[in-house]
Amino acid sequence: MSTQSPTPQSRPFNTGHHTAHNHSSQGQSLDQALQQAGFYPRLVADVVDDALDGRDCLSHLVHLETHFDRAEVRRHITVLVLTEDMLVITHVDDQQLDEAGEQIVAQISTESVPVAQIRSVVLSYMYAQPQDYKPSDPVRELTVSIAWSGGQRLDMGPASCGDPQCEADHGYTGTIAQEDIVLRISAEADGLQAVQDAKVFARALRAVNTGAQSPVPHTAIPAPRPRSGVFSNRLGRGHQR
């Protein structure tokens, strides 16, 4: 992965229909959010525009993640764009091919999910000092989980009886959560406005999803297909803190 920070593109670029949509309920337009992220904004915007295929953007969520792996800085961006009938997901990673960082390639995946196929939208909130909560207190962290293909995550651990002195084997216990994509937005890392924008996006997604006229029956949803390449990496990283 590249350790160099991509230089934001300062000149105008062609992003098609979504350039005209400055969402008053969100802090930034889609183009402004891509520019602020600074992760190859012109490239990402063109890929998103191609994936939209002429559809208008109703709401969006841009999430840039940075991980430190020994001496390397790894960054990747996920862009969710909601239209009237589709949820368009774009994920971009870059990879450094030489030690000098002169040869870099971008790996891009796009997926278009009909909103009628989305089965759940889960929001998980984190508040600090809940005993002193006031209505004006901001959310410290928000996790958005979206499921559409029937994919599930299983979290397991040793079961116990509650007796700290008990050494008996009580087997295992766990939880199953449906999710195809998980994004965690933190006020400390991303800013309070980013958390608010994520809430606005989730609200818009729920509104479009529940308003779909012909939802796909669960029995008609195809079995989860194998995910490879950058999307499988992205889904794995989505559970990290």
Side-chain angles (χ1 to χ4, degrees):
M1 304 295 288
S2 172
T3 59
Q4 297 179 345
S5 299
T7 302
Q9 305 286 345
S10 59
R11 56 179 175 167
F13 49 85
N14 176 25
T15 52
H17 286 261
H18 60 254
T19 57
H21 292 266
N22 294 318
H23 312 298
S24 58
S25 57
Q26 292 187 298
Q28 296 176 314
S29 69
L30 175 56
D31 295 336
Q32 290 171 337
L34 294 177
Q35 288 285 355
Q36 178 174 323
F39 193 74
Y40 312 114
R42 186 177 183 183
L43 171 62
V44 177
D46 283 347
V47 170
V48 171
D49 183 59
D50 183 69
L52 287 174
D53 197 23
R55 293 178 174 86
D56 289 337
C57 169
L58 299 180
S59 188
H60 65 273
L61 179 58
V62 176
H63 186 51
L64 179 67
E65 293 185 83
T66 302
H67 299 286
F68 296 93
D69 184 6
R70 297 181 181 178
E72 291 186 333
V73 179
R74 301 175 181 268
R75 302 203 298 169
H76 49 277
I77 192 170
T78 303
V79 182
L80 308 184
V81 178
L82 177 66
T83 73
E84 290 185 353
D85 62 338
M86 301 289 289
L87 173 63
V88 177
I89 304 162
T90 303
H91 186 78
V92 183
D93 282 284
D94 67 354
Q95 182 176 1
Q96 182 176 305
L97 301 181
D98 62 341
E99 294 184 359
E102 297 178 355
Q103 299 296 323
I104 301 174
V105 297
Q107 297 174 301
I108 303 172
S109 294
T110 63
E111 184 169 2
S112 298
V113 181
V115 294
Q117 188 173 315
I118 295 175
R119 301 174 64 174
S120 70
V121 179
V122 181
L123 296 184
S124 301
Y125 300 84
M126 181 179 292
Y127 284 90
Q129 303 300 326
Q131 70 276 14
D132 300 324
Y133 171 77
K134 300 183 296 298
S136 59
D137 289 351
V139 180
R140 294 287 300 274
E141 186 176 289
L142 179 69
T143 301
V144 182
S145 304
I146 307 171
W148 63 85
S149 73
Q152 296 179 329
R153 185 184 86 246
L154 176 62
D155 294 324
M156 295 191 66
S160 65
C161 65
D163 181 359
Q165 305 300 324
C166 180
E167 298 181 356
D169 184 358
H170 296 282
Y172 291 86
T173 183
T175 59
I176 296 178
Q178 278 195 332
E179 56 189 33
D180 283 280
I181 186 171
V182 179
L183 293 179
R184 184 175 292 109
I185 300 94
S186 166
E188 292 182 358
D190 307 301
L192 289 174
Q193 185 61 56
V195 176
Q196 177 62 28
D197 287 347
K199 291 172 62 177
V200 171
F201 175 82
R203 188 178 302 118
L205 179 58
R206 285 195 302 244
V208 173
N209 179 232
T210 57
Q213 296 298 319
S214 302
V216 177
H218 289 186
T219 56
I221 296 178
R225 59 187 181 281
R227 298 175 184 269
S228 60
V230 63
F231 247 77
S232 63
N233 294 336
R234 180 260 296 171
L235 292 175
R237 285 191 300 266
H239 303 300
Q240 298 178 2
R241 287 188 177 272

